[in-house]
Amino acid sequence: MADLESQLLQALNEKECIADSGDFAKSQGVDHMAVVGVIRSLQASEMIVAEDIDHFRYALTEESQTYLTAGSPEAQVFAAVGADGISLAELKVKVPGEAGDVGFKQAMQQKWLALDKSAGEPRVVRKVDSIVDSTQALLADIAAGKEVPKADAENLAKKRKLIKPEQWKTYKLSKGPKFALERKKPATDLTFDMLAKGTWRTQEFKDYNFNALGVLPAGGHLHPLLKVRTQFRKIFTQMGFEEMPTNQYVESSFWNFDALFQPQQHPARDAHDTFFLTKPAATPSDRGVPADYLQRVQSVHEVGGYGSAGYGYSWKLAEAEKNLLRTHTTAVSSRMLYRLANQPGGFKPAKYFSIDRVFRNEAVDRTHLAEFHQVEGLVCDRGLTLGDLIGVLQQFFSRLGLKKLRFKPAFNPYTEPSMEIFSYSEQLGKWMEVGNSGMFRPEMLRPMGLPEDVNVIAWGLSLERPTMILYGIDNIRDLFGHKVSLSMVRRNPICRLGL
Ligand code: PHE
């Protein structure tokens, strides 16, 4: 291409003008389309000027090509008839098909042949001794690119459909305002050098292409979990909830279990379910947990109180001091509720939420990971009932777009009553579990010092489940962990819940 370009510029430089780009293509032994490509590009840089030359010609059809050697249909029929004549049936055999029919008709019209019906069966006979095949001659002239009379050409094209019109363009080329033997590459940037030497005055610059698409930024894509988290945050803040500080992944068993009235023999407190820390293995209980509160928690576990019979076992401080990776965000809620009960100025109602990471020593499969995220909400106020919980859940989930809810009695060590939350998925045509909820037990709240008429309604769900549903991901390992494809993170769309 570049070669062809310099050939063309050279030719133009020598002769000032290329009369016809078609001839130029022939002289170079290349297809005219290749020359047209070069012309377009040089034209765009104003190096040459191109004027259209319109061409028109007739070309032979496939059928008429064969008549160049075999003769026109009428000549073929005339030859087949011979000096003695021939029956119509024989003629059909000798010149079969359309050529036979058309040829017979033409030869009759030309009065080369006649039909002799005197002897019973009609015979085709010659009326002249010899003929001149002018149709063949015309076709030969057209094939050779010679001029033929207009009437003849139109007859062949329209009536007999033996030739077809063809139109095309070539170009007359001359030098343009920016003609040069070599293309100068316009600069795309103003450089220090151009400024220092003053060459910017004469330097040609490439035009801006304002229609070009911008370069996609390579960084700064939010993971779907972050997008969905933002939406949850919005819903909670719209409902007047305040976010709890969730930065502490490591908790003592006390806040994760004991404060929640979860007995020390509970299977969840087994190393098979919970990741315990070896270094540091324990948090001394005098750090952040006042002795009197510790005492009340021990007592409620051992002998009960506040209307409860307790568990009747010997509570061990060492067990409560064990460090672990928090197994649920309810560990954060228990800290916050204790703070709420003991804040200066006394208890004030609160609505809290959290969205952060939790850890469980679980076998990893397509729906489970050893670390995931929980979304948790709680309302702490005087005189709250199960009806309030159901009402808040309806509000919360309908903002997510889950309007049809059902509740099923369930068990949590720290809530009574407890309810699993199910939502009907129109998409899947079934009820799906979307969360867990309940009213925190007095065994949890009273030792903290919350007034007797204060209740706490709370609920929790995973962040992963709704994210997977929203983004159509069916294996949790495609969402989170070392197998995640970065292009998934780059391509996933924005998230808007509840639409
Ligand atoms: N902590 C519970 C869980 O891990 C969820 C929950 C939160 C249940 C609050 C009741 C109340 O599944």
Side-chain angles (χ1 to χ4, degrees), residues 109-177:
Q109 258 176 28
Q110 306 267 349
K111 303 204 182 342
W112 293 349
L113 301 173
L115 213 48
D116 177 6
K117 296 180 181 165
S118 57
E121 195 199 354
R123 284 180 70 76
V124 186
V125 292
R126 282 185 173 173
K127 274 182 91 174
V128 292
D129 295 335
S130 65
I131 54 140
V132 175
D133 190 354
S134 56
T135 301
Q136 185 190 39
L138 276 173
L139 290 174
D141 283 350
I142 288 164
K146 286 187 199 152
E147 280 281 324
V148 297
K150 207 173 164 207
D152 288 336
E154 275 180 5
N155 178 42
L156 286 183
K158 292 196 182 125
K159 289 215 185 94
R160 301 196 61 180
K161 305 221 179 323
L162 291 177
I163 54 175
K164 50 185 191 266
E166 275 180 1
Q167 267 167 304
W168 76 100
K169 263 191 192 5
T170 57
Y171 303 92
K172 179 181 174 205
L173 306 175
S174 47
K175 291 180 177 174

Side-chain angles (χ1 to χ4, degrees), residues 245-252 255 326 332 335 356:
T246 51
N247 50 344
Q248 214 166 304
Y249 290 2
V250 174
E251 276 291 0
S252 66
W255 290 112
R326 70 174 173 230
V332 181
R335 275 178 179 278
D356 212 334

Side-chain angles (χ1 to χ4, degrees), residues 328 330 360 374 376 412 414-415 436-438 440 458-460:
H328 53 184
T330 317
R360 291 196 191 162
Q374 278 189 334
E376 185 155 325
N412 293 308
Y414 40 90
T415 53
N436 190 1
S437 68
F440 284 137
W459 72 100

Side-chain angles (χ1 to χ4, degrees), residues 260 327-331 333 358 360 372 374-378 389 412 414-415 417-419 433 435-440 457-462:
L260 291 164
T327 64
H328 53 184
T329 44
T330 317
S333 303
V358 299
R360 291 196 191 162
F372 60 99
Q374 278 189 334
V375 178
E376 185 155 325
L378 66 86
L389 175 57
N412 293 308
Y414 40 90
T415 53
S418 311
M419 305 188 300
E433 198 194 326
N436 190 1
S437 68
M439 300 185 68
F440 284 137
I457 54 179
W459 72 100
L461 59 145
S462 88

Side-chain angles (χ1 to χ4, degrees), residues 464-477:
E464 279 75 3
R465 173 75 74 91
T467 305
M468 286 169 74
I469 294 171
L470 284 166
Y471 284 94
I473 296 170
D474 67 349
N475 188 334
I476 200 164
R477 287 169 289 200

